[in-house]
Amino acid sequence: MDLTIQIVWLFVLALPIACISWTVTHEEIFKEPREWCIKHSKNNRSLFVRKAFYLFTCEYCFSHYVTIAFLILCNYKLLLNDWRGYILAGFSLIFMANIYMSLFALLRQAIKKEKVEIEKIENEVDSEKLSQ
């Protein structure tokens, strides 16, 4: 595979990895299973069990397993056509997916801050109208 195509695959394949990792570890749809995993990751006696449940609560950790699934599914290798290509691809995809998730988190934080500021201004305007 041409290097340019490999780089395009790297940037594109990291998107669904980031999306799946973020959704499972942050979004409301998986809230109950995530809270169950958090409880077991904190309260279980076995270190192995605690760490196994923690994997489903940390986007960075979970992205490793999503990446492995995508490497198997897509047979993507980076730079080298043997097993080393899978290792390079895996860590590169994890890195890119986590950059995407970090940017998404910053974007969501900025949007949330903006919403709070707008709500504050609206409340001030409403209170001014009531006092007049």
Side-chain angles (χ1 to χ4, degrees), residues 33-63:
R34 187 175 49 254
E35 287 175 350
W36 184 76
C37 288
I38 289 170
K39 184 179 87 176
H40 284 284
S41 73
K42 291 181 179 177
N43 299 327
N44 202 291
R45 289 180 178 227
S46 168
L47 176 66
F48 177 76
V49 173
R50 284 196 315 267
K51 297 305 176 189
F53 279 107
Y54 182 76
L55 296 175
F56 296 99
T57 64
C58 167
E59 73 269 6
Y60 176 75
C61 302
F62 193 66
S63 69

Side-chain angles (χ1 to χ4, degrees), residues 87-104:
I87 292 173
L88 289 171
F91 286 110
S92 299
L93 285 169
I94 290 164
F95 180 78
M96 287 308 304
N98 280 282
I99 287 175
Y100 291 156
M101 287 187 283
S102 296
L103 292 173
F104 185 66

Side-chain angles (χ1 to χ4, degrees), residues 3-127:
L3 182 60
T4 307
I5 294 172
Q6 288 181 13
I7 300 300
V8 169
W9 269 81
L10 174 65
F11 284 94
V12 173
L13 206 51
L15 286 168
I17 292 168
C19 181
I20 292 167
S21 298
W22 183 271
T23 301
V24 170
T25 59
H26 286 85
E27 295 302 329
E28 191 69 25
I29 189 135
F30 290 104
K31 182 180 179 181
E32 289 80 11
R34 187 175 49 254
E35 287 175 350
W36 184 76
C37 288
I38 289 170
K39 184 179 87 176
H40 284 284
S41 73
K42 291 181 179 177
N43 299 327
N44 202 291
R45 289 180 178 227
S46 168
L47 176 66
F48 177 76
V49 173
R50 284 196 315 267
K51 297 305 176 189
F53 279 107
Y54 182 76
L55 296 175
F56 296 99
T57 64
C58 167
E59 73 269 6
Y60 176 75
C61 302
F62 193 66
S63 69
H64 285 71
Y65 296 95
V66 176
T67 298
I68 291 169
F70 270 84
L71 286 174
I72 292 168
L73 181 70
C74 298
N75 196 30
Y76 173 64
K77 297 175 206 144
L78 184 62
L79 300 178
L80 305 168
N81 282 328
D82 57 4
W83 61 272
R84 297 172 298 171
Y86 283 119
I87 292 173
L88 289 171
F91 286 110
S92 299
L93 285 169
I94 290 164
F95 180 78
M96 287 308 304
N98 280 282
I99 287 175
Y100 291 156
M101 287 187 283
S102 296
L103 292 173
F104 185 66
L106 288 172
L107 178 65
R108 284 182 59 148
Q109 185 179 29
I111 291 170
K112 191 174 188 176
K113 179 181 176 190
E114 204 170 293
K115 284 182 180 179
V116 168
E117 289 173 352
I118 290 170
E119 188 176 318
K120 181 181 175 186
I121 292 169
E122 287 175 347
N123 289 339
E124 289 173 358
V125 169
D126 289 343
S127 65

